Short mmCIF file of all heavy atoms in Angstrom, two decimals:
data_model
loop_
_atom_site.label_atom_id
_atom_site.label_comp_id
_atom_site.label_asym_id
_atom_site.label_seq_id
_atom_site.Cartn_x
_atom_site.Cartn_y
_atom_site.Cartn_z
N MET B 279 2.21 32.25 57.49
CA MET B 279 1.79 31.13 58.29
C MET B 279 0.97 31.51 59.51
O MET B 279 0.25 30.71 60.04
CB MET B 279 3.00 30.28 58.72
CG MET B 279 3.68 29.54 57.57
SD MET B 279 2.62 28.19 56.94
CE MET B 279 3.84 27.13 56.28
N GLU B 282 -2.64 31.19 59.09
CA GLU B 282 -3.25 29.87 59.23
C GLU B 282 -3.69 29.65 60.71
O GLU B 282 -4.79 29.17 60.97
CB GLU B 282 -2.22 28.88 58.88
CG GLU B 282 -2.67 27.45 58.84
CD GLU B 282 -1.56 26.50 58.49
OE1 GLU B 282 -0.56 26.94 57.96
OE2 GLU B 282 -1.75 25.33 58.78
N GLY B 289 -12.40 29.45 63.01
CA GLY B 289 -13.20 28.34 62.66
C GLY B 289 -13.90 28.62 61.31
O GLY B 289 -13.30 29.10 60.39
N GLY B 390 -18.24 14.87 48.91
CA GLY B 390 -19.11 15.26 50.00
C GLY B 390 -18.42 16.03 51.01
O GLY B 390 -18.56 15.77 52.26
N CYS B 391 -17.62 17.07 50.64
CA CYS B 391 -16.79 17.77 51.54
C CYS B 391 -16.93 19.28 51.27
O CYS B 391 -17.50 19.65 50.25
CB CYS B 391 -15.38 17.30 51.34
SG CYS B 391 -14.20 17.93 52.48
N ASP B 392 -16.42 20.11 52.23
CA ASP B 392 -16.67 21.54 51.96
C ASP B 392 -15.56 22.27 51.31
O ASP B 392 -15.73 23.41 50.80
CB ASP B 392 -16.98 22.25 53.28
CG ASP B 392 -15.82 22.23 54.27
OD1 ASP B 392 -14.93 21.31 54.12
OD2 ASP B 392 -15.72 23.08 55.19
N ASP B 393 -14.35 21.74 51.28
CA ASP B 393 -13.24 22.34 50.53
C ASP B 393 -12.09 21.29 50.52
O ASP B 393 -12.17 20.25 51.06
CB ASP B 393 -12.83 23.61 51.20
CG ASP B 393 -12.24 24.63 50.16
OD1 ASP B 393 -11.43 24.16 49.29
OD2 ASP B 393 -12.56 25.84 50.19
N VAL B 395 -8.25 20.01 51.63
CA VAL B 395 -7.60 20.02 52.96
C VAL B 395 -6.60 21.07 53.11
O VAL B 395 -6.25 21.42 54.22
CB VAL B 395 -6.99 18.61 53.28
CG1 VAL B 395 -8.10 17.60 53.44
CG2 VAL B 395 -5.99 18.20 52.33
N PHE B 396 -6.02 21.57 52.01
CA PHE B 396 -5.01 22.64 52.17
C PHE B 396 -5.47 23.81 51.29
O PHE B 396 -4.88 24.10 50.25
CB PHE B 396 -3.65 22.15 51.66
CG PHE B 396 -3.13 20.93 52.34
CD1 PHE B 396 -2.77 19.79 51.55
CD2 PHE B 396 -2.98 20.87 53.72
CE1 PHE B 396 -2.23 18.66 52.17
CE2 PHE B 396 -2.44 19.73 54.34
CZ PHE B 396 -2.09 18.63 53.56
N ILE B 470 -4.74 14.64 46.20
CA ILE B 470 -4.52 13.31 46.66
C ILE B 470 -4.92 13.21 48.13
O ILE B 470 -5.64 12.36 48.57
CB ILE B 470 -3.13 12.83 46.47
CG1 ILE B 470 -2.69 12.85 44.97
CG2 ILE B 470 -2.89 11.43 47.01
CD1 ILE B 470 -1.24 12.71 44.73
N ASN B 475 -8.41 11.55 52.56
CA ASN B 475 -8.73 11.88 53.95
C ASN B 475 -10.02 12.53 54.20
O ASN B 475 -10.49 12.59 55.33
CB ASN B 475 -7.63 12.76 54.56
CG ASN B 475 -6.37 11.95 54.87
OD1 ASN B 475 -6.39 10.71 54.79
ND2 ASN B 475 -5.37 12.64 55.35
N ALA B 476 -10.69 13.10 53.17
CA ALA B 476 -11.86 13.95 53.51
C ALA B 476 -13.18 13.43 52.90
O ALA B 476 -14.08 14.24 52.73
CB ALA B 476 -11.54 15.37 53.02
N ARG B 477 -13.24 12.16 52.58
CA ARG B 477 -14.50 11.66 51.99
C ARG B 477 -15.64 11.66 52.97
O ARG B 477 -15.41 11.59 54.22
CB ARG B 477 -14.27 10.21 51.49
CG ARG B 477 -13.68 10.07 50.13
CD ARG B 477 -13.16 8.69 49.94
NE ARG B 477 -11.93 8.44 50.60
CZ ARG B 477 -11.70 7.33 51.31
NH1 ARG B 477 -12.59 6.37 51.37
NH2 ARG B 477 -10.50 7.18 51.89
N ALA B 502 4.86 11.38 40.31
CA ALA B 502 5.90 10.37 40.30
C ALA B 502 6.81 10.55 39.08
O ALA B 502 7.92 10.06 39.10
CB ALA B 502 5.26 9.00 40.29
N GLY B 505 9.67 14.52 38.43
CA GLY B 505 11.01 14.82 39.05
C GLY B 505 12.14 14.85 38.06
O GLY B 505 12.87 15.83 38.02
N PRO B 506 12.23 13.86 37.21
CA PRO B 506 13.35 13.82 36.19
C PRO B 506 13.30 15.04 35.26
O PRO B 506 14.30 15.53 34.90
CB PRO B 506 13.10 12.50 35.47
CG PRO B 506 12.49 11.60 36.41
CD PRO B 506 11.57 12.52 37.29
N ALA B 509 14.70 17.96 37.16
CA ALA B 509 16.18 17.81 37.21
C ALA B 509 16.72 18.21 35.89
O ALA B 509 17.73 19.00 35.84
CB ALA B 509 16.55 16.36 37.53
N MET B 513 19.27 21.47 34.81
CA MET B 513 20.57 21.31 34.10
C MET B 513 20.59 22.10 32.80
O MET B 513 21.56 22.75 32.43
CB MET B 513 20.78 19.82 33.82
CG MET B 513 21.13 18.99 35.02
SD MET B 513 21.68 17.33 34.63
CE MET B 513 20.18 16.45 34.75
N PHE B 516 21.06 25.76 33.56
CA PHE B 516 22.42 26.08 33.85
C PHE B 516 23.25 26.09 32.58
O PHE B 516 24.10 26.95 32.34
CB PHE B 516 23.03 25.04 34.82
CG PHE B 516 22.66 25.38 36.24
CD1 PHE B 516 22.78 24.36 37.24
CD2 PHE B 516 22.33 26.62 36.67
CE1 PHE B 516 22.50 24.64 38.55
CE2 PHE B 516 22.03 26.89 37.99
CZ PHE B 516 22.07 25.91 38.96
N ILE B 520 24.68 29.79 32.38
CA ILE B 520 26.10 30.00 32.91
C ILE B 520 27.09 29.17 32.21
O ILE B 520 28.31 29.30 32.45
CB ILE B 520 26.17 29.73 34.44
CG1 ILE B 520 25.82 28.26 34.74
CG2 ILE B 520 25.24 30.67 35.19
CD1 ILE B 520 26.02 27.96 36.22
N LYS B 529 31.85 19.34 26.10
CA LYS B 529 32.23 19.60 27.53
C LYS B 529 32.08 18.28 28.37
O LYS B 529 32.21 18.36 29.57
CB LYS B 529 31.39 20.68 28.14
CG LYS B 529 31.57 21.96 27.41
CD LYS B 529 30.72 23.14 28.04
CE LYS B 529 30.83 24.39 27.27
NZ LYS B 529 30.06 25.43 27.84
N GLY B 530 31.82 17.15 27.71
CA GLY B 530 31.69 15.93 28.48
C GLY B 530 30.31 15.55 28.74
O GLY B 530 30.01 14.52 29.44
N MET B 819 -23.72 18.13 55.66
CA MET B 819 -22.82 17.19 54.96
C MET B 819 -23.46 15.87 54.65
O MET B 819 -24.15 15.30 55.59
CB MET B 819 -21.56 16.96 55.82
CG MET B 819 -20.67 18.19 55.96
SD MET B 819 -20.03 18.57 54.30
CE MET B 819 -20.01 20.38 54.32
N MET L 126 -12.03 26.13 61.39
CA MET L 126 -11.26 25.10 60.62
C MET L 126 -12.16 24.51 59.55
O MET L 126 -13.33 24.28 59.73
CB MET L 126 -10.81 24.03 61.61
CG MET L 126 -9.86 23.01 60.99
SD MET L 126 -9.50 21.67 62.07
CE MET L 126 -9.03 22.54 63.55
N VAL L 127 -11.59 24.32 58.38
CA VAL L 127 -12.34 23.77 57.29
C VAL L 127 -12.75 22.32 57.58
O VAL L 127 -11.91 21.58 58.12
CB VAL L 127 -11.47 23.76 55.99
CG1 VAL L 127 -12.10 23.03 54.88
CG2 VAL L 127 -11.15 25.23 55.63
N LEU L 128 -13.95 21.97 57.33
CA LEU L 128 -14.49 20.61 57.69
C LEU L 128 -13.61 19.55 57.13
O LEU L 128 -13.34 18.53 57.73
CB LEU L 128 -15.90 20.48 57.15
CG LEU L 128 -16.51 19.09 57.40
CD1 LEU L 128 -16.72 18.87 58.87
CD2 LEU L 128 -17.84 19.02 56.66
N ALA L 129 -13.11 19.82 55.88
CA ALA L 129 -12.28 18.83 55.26
C ALA L 129 -11.08 18.43 56.12
O ALA L 129 -10.53 17.35 55.98
CB ALA L 129 -11.74 19.35 53.89
N GLU L 130 -10.69 19.32 57.06
CA GLU L 130 -9.46 19.01 57.87
C GLU L 130 -9.81 18.22 59.09
O GLU L 130 -8.94 17.87 59.80
CB GLU L 130 -8.79 20.35 58.23
CG GLU L 130 -8.21 21.07 57.02
CD GLU L 130 -7.78 22.56 57.35
OE1 GLU L 130 -8.00 22.92 58.48
OE2 GLU L 130 -7.30 23.17 56.41
N ARG L 132 -11.79 15.28 59.40
CA ARG L 132 -12.32 13.96 59.34
C ARG L 132 -11.48 12.82 59.85
O ARG L 132 -11.53 11.76 59.28
CB ARG L 132 -12.86 13.71 57.91
CG ARG L 132 -14.22 14.34 57.70
CD ARG L 132 -14.72 14.16 56.37
NE ARG L 132 -16.15 14.60 56.34
CZ ARG L 132 -16.85 14.94 55.29
NH1 ARG L 132 -16.28 14.89 54.12
NH2 ARG L 132 -18.16 15.27 55.46
N PRO L 134 -8.59 11.14 59.73
CA PRO L 134 -8.17 10.04 58.85
C PRO L 134 -7.10 9.24 59.52
O PRO L 134 -6.44 9.74 60.44
CB PRO L 134 -7.65 10.82 57.61
CG PRO L 134 -7.19 12.16 58.16
CD PRO L 134 -8.12 12.44 59.33
N ILE L 136 -4.04 8.47 58.41
CA ILE L 136 -2.80 9.23 58.32
C ILE L 136 -3.19 10.72 58.20
O ILE L 136 -3.95 11.09 57.29
CB ILE L 136 -2.02 8.84 57.05
CG1 ILE L 136 -1.77 7.32 57.04
CG2 ILE L 136 -0.70 9.60 56.90
CD1 ILE L 136 -1.02 6.83 55.84
N ASN L 138 -3.46 14.72 57.48
CA ASN L 138 -3.30 15.40 56.20
C ASN L 138 -1.87 15.87 55.98
O ASN L 138 -1.28 15.62 54.94
CB ASN L 138 -4.19 16.65 56.22
CG ASN L 138 -5.66 16.28 56.20
OD1 ASN L 138 -6.01 15.19 55.77
ND2 ASN L 138 -6.49 17.15 56.65
N PHE L 145 3.66 12.27 49.95
CA PHE L 145 3.65 12.46 48.46
C PHE L 145 4.68 13.45 47.95
O PHE L 145 5.31 13.25 46.93
CB PHE L 145 2.26 12.82 47.96
CG PHE L 145 1.35 11.69 47.93
CD1 PHE L 145 0.39 11.45 48.89
CD2 PHE L 145 1.42 10.79 46.87
CE1 PHE L 145 -0.44 10.33 48.89
CE2 PHE L 145 0.61 9.65 46.84
CZ PHE L 145 -0.34 9.45 47.79
N VAL L 149 7.90 12.84 45.22
CA VAL L 149 8.36 13.70 44.10
C VAL L 149 9.89 13.94 44.21
O VAL L 149 10.63 13.82 43.29
CB VAL L 149 7.60 15.04 44.06
CG1 VAL L 149 8.12 15.89 42.91
CG2 VAL L 149 6.14 14.79 43.95
N MET L 152 12.02 10.98 43.31
CA MET L 152 12.16 10.87 41.85
C MET L 152 13.14 11.89 41.30
O MET L 152 13.91 11.66 40.39
CB MET L 152 10.82 10.96 41.15
CG MET L 152 9.87 9.81 41.45
SD MET L 152 10.53 8.25 41.01
CE MET L 152 10.51 8.31 39.16
N PHE L 153 13.05 13.07 41.84
CA PHE L 153 13.92 14.17 41.39
C PHE L 153 15.35 13.79 41.65
O PHE L 153 16.28 13.87 40.74
CB PHE L 153 13.55 15.46 42.13
CG PHE L 153 14.41 16.61 41.99
CD1 PHE L 153 14.44 17.32 40.76
CD2 PHE L 153 15.25 17.11 42.99
CE1 PHE L 153 15.20 18.40 40.55
CE2 PHE L 153 16.01 18.18 42.80
CZ PHE L 153 16.09 18.85 41.61
N ALA L 156 16.59 10.96 39.46
CA ALA L 156 17.02 11.44 38.15
C ALA L 156 18.34 12.07 38.13
O ALA L 156 19.19 11.88 37.26
CB ALA L 156 15.97 12.38 37.61
N SER L 160 21.49 10.74 36.13
CA SER L 160 22.21 11.62 35.17
C SER L 160 23.66 11.66 35.45
O SER L 160 24.49 11.57 34.57
CB SER L 160 21.61 13.02 35.25
OG SER L 160 20.23 13.00 35.01
N ALA L 168 31.64 10.51 29.91
CA ALA L 168 32.50 11.75 29.78
C ALA L 168 33.96 11.44 29.50
O ALA L 168 34.66 12.27 29.06
CB ALA L 168 32.37 12.55 31.02
N ASN L 171 36.97 13.85 30.15
CA ASN L 171 36.44 15.09 30.68
C ASN L 171 36.08 14.96 32.15
O ASN L 171 35.69 15.95 32.74
CB ASN L 171 35.20 15.53 29.90
CG ASN L 171 35.59 16.27 28.64
OD1 ASN L 171 36.42 17.18 28.66
ND2 ASN L 171 34.98 15.90 27.54
N LEU L 246 31.87 25.79 36.66
CA LEU L 246 32.23 25.83 35.25
C LEU L 246 33.53 25.13 34.96
O LEU L 246 34.07 25.17 33.85
CB LEU L 246 32.29 27.31 34.82
CG LEU L 246 31.00 28.05 34.78
CD1 LEU L 246 31.17 29.50 34.36
CD2 LEU L 246 30.01 27.37 33.80
N VAL L 249 32.83 19.05 33.47
CA VAL L 249 31.51 18.40 33.78
C VAL L 249 31.52 17.72 35.12
O VAL L 249 30.46 17.64 35.79
CB VAL L 249 31.11 17.47 32.60
CG1 VAL L 249 31.90 16.17 32.60
CG2 VAL L 249 29.65 17.29 32.55
N ALA L 252 30.68 20.45 37.51
CA ALA L 252 29.28 20.86 37.30
C ALA L 252 28.34 19.88 38.04
O ALA L 252 27.44 20.32 38.74
CB ALA L 252 28.98 20.94 35.82
N LEU L 256 26.05 20.78 41.28
CA LEU L 256 24.62 20.62 41.01
C LEU L 256 23.99 19.70 42.09
O LEU L 256 22.98 20.07 42.75
CB LEU L 256 24.36 20.05 39.65
CG LEU L 256 22.86 19.91 39.34
CD1 LEU L 256 22.25 21.28 38.96
CD2 LEU L 256 22.74 18.95 38.11
N TYR L 274 10.69 27.78 61.80
CA TYR L 274 9.31 28.22 62.04
C TYR L 274 8.61 27.37 63.02
O TYR L 274 7.95 27.85 63.95
CB TYR L 274 8.60 28.23 60.67
CG TYR L 274 7.11 28.37 60.82
CD1 TYR L 274 6.54 29.62 61.15
CD2 TYR L 274 6.22 27.32 60.75
CE1 TYR L 274 5.22 29.80 61.37
CE2 TYR L 274 4.86 27.46 60.97
CZ TYR L 274 4.36 28.68 61.29
OH TYR L 274 3.05 28.83 61.49
N ARG L 288 2.42 17.97 62.44
CA ARG L 288 3.41 18.82 61.82
C ARG L 288 4.79 18.38 62.06
O ARG L 288 5.64 18.43 61.24
CB ARG L 288 3.21 20.30 62.26
CG ARG L 288 1.92 20.84 61.81
CD ARG L 288 1.97 22.31 61.82
NE ARG L 288 0.75 22.83 61.36
CZ ARG L 288 0.40 24.11 61.37
NH1 ARG L 288 1.19 24.93 62.02
NH2 ARG L 288 -0.74 24.51 60.93
#
Side-chain angles (χ1 to χ4, degrees):
Chain B
M279 288 292 205
E282 189 181 340
C391 186
D392 64 336
D393 208 317
V395 294
F396 303 125
I470 300 166
N475 282 357
R477 277 165 282 135
M513 291 191 264
F516 278 160
I520 63 175
K529 298 182 187 177
M819 286 299 142
Chain L
M126 190 184 308
V127 173
L128 177 66
E130 292 167 1
R132 278 178 168 160
I136 303 177
N138 293 337
F145 280 102
V149 180
M152 292 302 288
F153 174 71
S160 302
N171 275 313
L246 294 178
V249 77
L256 182 77
Y274 168 75
R288 294 203 177 165

